[in-house]
Amino acid sequence: MATEILMPALSPTMEEGTLAKWLVKEGDEVSSGDILAEIETDKATMEFEAVDEGTIGKILVEEGTEGVKVNSPIAVLLEEGESADDIDTAKSAPAEDKGEEAKPAEAKSSDDDREAPAEGKKQPEPDTSPDWPEGTEMKQQTVREALRDAMAEEMRRDENVFLMGEEVAEYQGAYKISQGLLDEFGAKRVIDTPITEHGFAGIGVGAAFGGLRPIVEFMTFNFAMQAMDQIINSAAKTLYMSGGQMGAPMVFRGPNGAAARVGAQHSQDYAAWFMQIPGLKVAMPYSASDYKGLMKTAIRDPNPVIFLENEILYGRSFDVPDIEDYTVPFGKARIWREGADVTIVSFGIGMTYALEAAEKLAEDGIEAEVIDLRTLRPMDTETVLKSVMKTNRCVTVEEGWPQGSVGGYISGEIMQEAFDYLDAPVITCTGKDVPMPYAANLEKHALVTTDEVIEAVRKVTYR
């Protein structure tokens, strides 16, 4: 089937350009990567490559043509066995060449000229389907075990999946997440790296560009700061900048946020940082079942995924469905507790404070609906908005800093989409606006607490 070759976007802001020169002619055979033409913009002249193989059947836009719109057809590529006679030129023929006279627009009455009243923005209905069928057998697993099983299952499923990072192989992981993987999959698929995050993250990105599916482990996401250029400028942006020709199907994973007395450089929460980046997906689960289901989804995703774990949660046990291939979709929040008085929104280890607060508030007759976002990009704001429209109040909970927080973003969404439903301002509970202290007593004060969540709920409920 003949394929249209479209005018490429050479920059995010490009809307049109000049087709300066064709480097092929009709009848030429081309392969992926061959240079087809030179495209000029007001900033630069760049070469345009073929993404498929075939024969140039017809050139639709002559060289030297200015003002060619991005994504408009400029040529037609034929597959083997096709001829130029097979090309449907109807798409590219201008309207005046069709031999049809344009019909004058029918006059409208004055009543027709009036605009219909504006309608409010309709929010899509959230996905409230259960994560597993009713009656599914459950088993107890730690977060550590759930993560290991998720990676092992995907490595068995797809030979292109491999794990790399510091101490993931011989030592079986700094936190024993990769326990047993080296024995099962060997040193070619479970790879110990030097202590150079910028280096091994770049190797992982290159492997993903080449069609493999790397899982890159950072011993802590604080060390990922050394690899920000690889993560943001290479992994996240290349799919867009290449016009969809090359992506990075990979996972960056490791512990994120505070642990216990490891100092400011090892305690930072990067959730809000990575959530901002187009091209990345960001998961930050709480329970073992979500760690397993989201990790499997992340490994299969064609985009780079930031998978933020928590060292404190690794040893905690949860119910996990005993299902052969259990996955959790991105962009679907989980309602852990239903309530009608206030909505508490959190993610990751913040769910610990949210659920503890909800339990204590229930003793005083305040029923909180507790929502676990699970993924921050994409974020299931539909579930949050529907809950707020019911409870009329919202408190967000996270360990990150207050300025530029995830809760601040959620608050903005609620203000724009559900302002008339609010009976009180949204309160964001966060960590304190200081580098994490090393001293245990000061570290405790720097983190968000259950009591702070309870106090926030009492403020918004006036109780």
Side-chain angles (χ1 to χ4, degrees):
M1 180 179 177
T3 304
E4 290 180 337
I5 299 174
L6 305 180
M7 181 70 169
L10 304 181
S11 72
T13 57
M14 177 178 169
E15 296 181 357
E16 60 182 33
T18 299
L19 205 161
K21 182 180 180 180
W22 279 107
L23 301 177
V24 294
K25 60 183 182 297
E26 292 181 2
D28 283 358
E29 293 185 0
V30 296
S31 300
S32 177
D34 289 351
I35 307 300
L36 299 181
E38 292 180 355
I39 308 294
E40 286 183 1
T41 69
D42 57 345
K43 297 178 180 178
T45 299
M46 299 183 68
E47 295 176 334
F48 171 46
E49 298 180 356
V51 296
D52 295 304
E53 62 180 24
T55 302
I56 301 296
K58 187 174 182 63
I59 291 177
L60 304 176
V61 177
E62 295 299 321
E63 62 181 39
T65 304
E66 300 179 352
V68 183
K69 298 291 185 183
V70 168
N71 289 331
S72 60
I74 58 175
V76 176
L77 187 68
L78 302 176
E79 294 182 355
E80 185 178 356
E82 294 181 326
S83 70
D85 297 333
D86 298 327
I87 299 173
D88 180 8
T89 58
K91 295 180 181 178
S92 57
E96 57 268 27
D97 291 341
K98 294 182 180 178
E100 297 181 6
E101 295 183 3
K103 296 182 180 180
E106 296 181 5
K108 293 182 180 181
S109 67
S110 58
D111 288 341
D112 293 334
D113 291 336
R114 291 181 300 184
E115 294 184 2
E119 294 185 4
K121 181 179 177 181
K122 293 181 179 178
Q123 294 297 327
E125 283 295 311
D127 182 359
T128 57
S129 60
D131 288 337
W132 52 79
E134 187 176 352
T136 297
E137 185 177 343
M138 309 297 285
K139 61 182 178 182
Q140 279 275 304
Q141 273 195 313
T142 63
V143 166
R144 177 181 291 108
E145 292 166 339
L147 270 173
R148 179 205 59 209
D149 286 358
M151 291 191 293
E153 288 175 17
E154 291 306 299
M155 291 174 77
R156 295 182 196 116
R157 176 179 172 271
D158 184 349
E159 64 181 10
N160 290 320
V161 179
F162 69 96
L163 174 66
M164 64 187 302
E166 296 159 358
E167 299 184 346
V168 300
E170 296 292 341
Y171 192 66
Q172 303 193 74
Y175 305 97
K176 299 301 182 236
I177 304 298
S178 52
Q179 198 163 20
L181 297 186
L182 177 63
D183 293 338
E184 180 175 353
F185 299 103
K188 286 189 176 181
R189 296 184 66 193
V190 184
I191 305 168
D192 278 331
T193 66
I195 304 174
T196 168
E197 283 75 16
H198 180 78
F200 69 72
I203 291 172
V205 173
F209 287 166
L212 300 178
R213 289 183 174 268
I215 306 168
V216 177
E217 177 182 313
F218 296 116
M219 194 177 292
T220 160
F221 258 94
N222 297 272
F223 301 158
M225 294 286 285
Q226 304 294 327
M228 278 303 215
D229 185 57
Q230 304 286 16
I231 297 170
I232 307 303
N233 284 329
S234 295
K237 297 177 182 176
T238 297
L239 182 67
Y240 177 82
M241 295 179 70
S242 68
Q245 298 177 63
M246 184 167 62
M250 63 188 306
V251 178
F252 298 98
R253 55 157 293 268
N256 168 72
R261 297 191 68 196
V262 291
Q265 298 123 311
H266 293 172
S267 301
Q268 191 164 318
D269 183 352
Y270 290 91
W273 284 46
F274 289 116
M275 184 187 76
Q276 284 195 320
I277 310 300
L280 292 178
K281 292 187 176 181
V282 182
M284 191 166 170
Y286 164 62
S287 70
S289 62
D290 289 337
Y291 268 92
K292 181 176 183 179
L294 288 170
M295 175 56 73
K296 287 169 68 70
T297 299
I299 294 170
R300 298 179 189 184
D301 200 282
N303 302 282
V305 177
I306 301 294
F307 202 91
L308 302 173
E309 302 160 13
N310 187 275
E311 184 180 339
I312 303 297
L313 292 177
Y314 281 151
R316 293 193 187 175
S317 296
F318 298 83
D319 282 337
V320 176
D322 193 3
I323 296 175
E324 183 176 348
D325 188 22
Y326 175 67
T327 60
V328 174
F330 282 7
K332 180 186 176 185
R334 177 178 178 180
I335 300 176
W336 277 80
R337 182 189 181 106
E338 294 188 354
D341 296 324
V342 63
T343 300
I344 303 177
V345 183
S346 191
F347 52 93
I349 197 169
M351 285 296 298
T352 303
Y353 312 112
L355 290 170
E356 286 177 357
E359 289 290 337
K360 293 182 179 180
L361 289 163
E363 296 172 3
D364 295 334
I366 300 174
E367 293 299 329
E369 185 149 285
V370 182
I371 297 176
D372 179 1
L373 292 173
R374 301 199 286 194
T375 62
L376 305 179
R377 190 178 186 102
M379 183 184 291
D380 184 3
T381 52
E382 291 84 6
T383 292
V384 174
L385 292 171
K386 185 173 182 180
S387 178
V388 169
M389 289 175 182
K390 175 178 69 173
T391 66
N392 312 119
R393 298 166 176 86
C394 184
V395 171
T396 67
V397 184
E398 64 191 289
E399 283 194 342
W401 289 316
Q403 188 161 332
S405 65
V406 177
Y409 172 77
I410 296 169
S411 176
E413 286 291 298
I414 294 171
M415 296 298 181
Q416 292 183 60
E417 307 298 342
F419 179 78
D420 290 339
Y421 290 87
L422 288 174
D423 288 340
V426 177
I427 295 182
T428 57
C429 295
T430 68
K432 310 308 180 291
D433 198 17
V434 296
M436 183 63 69
Y438 175 75
N441 58 330
L442 297 178
E443 182 180 61
K444 184 177 180 180
H445 287 297
L447 292 168
V448 66
T449 67
T450 300
D451 288 342
E452 289 171 353
V453 179
I454 292 172
E455 181 183 357
V457 169
R458 292 196 183 282
K459 283 183 179 179
V460 299
T461 56
Y462 310 111
R463 294 161 75 174

